[in-house]
Amino acid sequence: MASMLLTSLRSSPLTSVQAAQFAARSFSTSVHLQAQAKSKKTLAKPGVKNIVLVDGVRTPFLLSGTTYADLMPHDLARAALQGLLNRTGLPKDAVDYIVYGSVIQEVKTSNVAREAALGAGFSDKTPAHTVTMACISSNQAMTTAVGLIAAGQCDAVVAGGVEFMSDVPIRHSRKMRKTMLSLNKAKTLGARLSLLGSIRLAHLSPELPAVAEFSTAETMGHSADRLAAAFGVTRLEQDEFALRSHTLAKKAQDSGLLSDVISFKVPGRDIVSKDNGIRPSTMEQMAKLKPAFIKPHGTVTAANSSFLTDGASAVLIMSEEKALAMGYKPKAYLRDFVYVSQDPKDQLLLGPTYATPKVLEKSGLTFNDIDVFEFHEAFAGQIMANLKAMESDWFAQTYMGRKTKVGAPPMEKFNSWGGSLSLGHPFAATGCRLVTTVAHRLQKEGGQYGLVAACAAGGQGHAMVIEAYPQ
């Protein structure tokens, strides 16, 4: 596929000048949209419950190995849940169910949803379970909540996600694990000594976790580099997009727009109140970095990739009827959503390209109807490759079974408050951040419809349409 894409798409590549225009778009553009109040039809359906996002919060997203380094995942999850309770004033026994996402799981708290819920003071009568779907784990948590409410099983569900990369499980080698398990079963001293004598130096080599595909054994960064090459995405384009992300995130942070972030007193350390990975640089400084995955000629670097992040998020999802009965003013309606999957080798990170047209068609909307786009930024190259795929008739016809191209989001509506490249990407927490950001941007900018899209390991993806709640 890669050579076919490269041959076809290089005939009309997105130029570095165009990419520079994306990066140079004024932060004020999104604010100017406030005056453009929408009067489109609602997506409410007869006989179908309206399901709303009441509110959403997250801990500050921090570079792994920094202030959160001595915590455990459930500490962050508990903080997010407590922050949600404080923000909404929700009675703890009013929640019917809790669903939480997690990717790299701490073995001591494998059902982190339950442990965090108990730690946050929720009723021990409230069931909780944990889901995992790579980078769209909290998206899955939210849509599970939507399903529970739509089915009439619940009226109020808390969904969220947590990721803690400062301390990941590092296993003994398979041979060492087998020896240790056998030692546990040995009944005599002789049997134990014999097993101990069988241990070799090679047995002590640990198994380190990696962000890699089990089915292909390829790391995600390597795949992103190949994808960028297949679509003719240059290093310059990637660095420009990354700089755009950090610049917009910094402006949003300084302007107080990242209102979903709650302050968190880290035990034994300071109060943390803002993300610490937002670091606008210069093109000159970024150009000095060497390729991180495909050396020496790759284009994906540490500067144009999302970084390992610790953080947690939580949202309150309710039926509209229940929310209004409890005196809440919801932020948004959660409307149609889709999940997609494709080839995990050559199309690992193209989830947004496949999911976006499907969710628009399901909703009966077009690109022109969408006022706010929030796409997960795993890598700048991944974002640029998706934008090029969405603008390619050839890709649509060859791989998607469509007659014409999908079309790419206009950049003045796209990730206007930064994204995962700058804000951080705790794998299982990002989905809730995306949805909450869309709700806040719709309120700020006076739009009606927003669209969230994300890729995930395994070649999977997700997209959801969000409708602003009438103000």
Side-chain angles (χ1 to χ4, degrees), residues 255-373:
S255 301
L257 296 177
L258 306 182
S259 58
D260 55 333
V261 179
I262 58 171
S263 295
F264 174 37
K265 175 64 174 72
V266 180
R269 306 188 74 165
D270 296 333
I271 294 176
V272 180
S273 58
K274 63 180 183 179
D275 308 319
N276 73 355
I278 303 173
R279 298 177 179 180
S281 183
T282 65
M283 291 297 295
E284 292 73 24
Q285 289 175 317
M286 295 171 74
K288 295 177 182 178
L289 295 184
K290 295 181 179 180
F293 300 99
I294 297 180
K295 303 173 182 180
H297 302 300
T299 57
V300 174
T301 70
N304 58 42
S305 307
S306 57
F307 47 87
L308 295 179
T309 315
D310 300 334
S313 58
V315 297
L316 175 59
I317 299 173
M318 304 178 82
S319 65
E320 182 181 27
E321 182 180 10
K322 181 70 171 180
L324 295 179
M326 293 186 67
Y328 289 116
K329 180 66 178 293
K331 289 184 179 291
Y333 293 107
L334 302 183
R335 298 302 193 190
D336 292 300
F337 61 87
V338 298
Y339 288 93
V340 296
S341 59
Q342 53 278 337
D343 172 23
K345 182 172 177 60
D346 288 331
Q347 300 189 25
L348 178 70
L349 303 173
L350 290 179
T353 297
Y354 284 89
T356 296
K358 287 188 175 183
V359 80
L360 287 174
E361 289 164 2
K362 191 173 184 179
S363 300
L365 300 176
T366 68
F367 264 99
N368 291 334
D369 294 315
I370 303 300
D371 305 297
V372 165
F373 291 88

Side-chain angles (χ1 to χ4, degrees), residues 177-215:
R177 298 200 304 271
K178 289 177 67 176
T179 300
M180 293 172 73
L181 290 171
S182 297
L183 272 170
N184 193 47
K185 297 176 183 178
K187 299 183 184 300
T188 66
L189 178 61
R192 294 190 186 97
L193 292 174
S194 177
L195 286 166
L196 289 171
S198 70
I199 296 175
R200 299 292 179 264
L201 188 62
H203 294 182
L204 302 179
S205 179
E207 290 183 4
L208 301 175
V211 184
E213 291 296 302
F214 181 80
S215 60

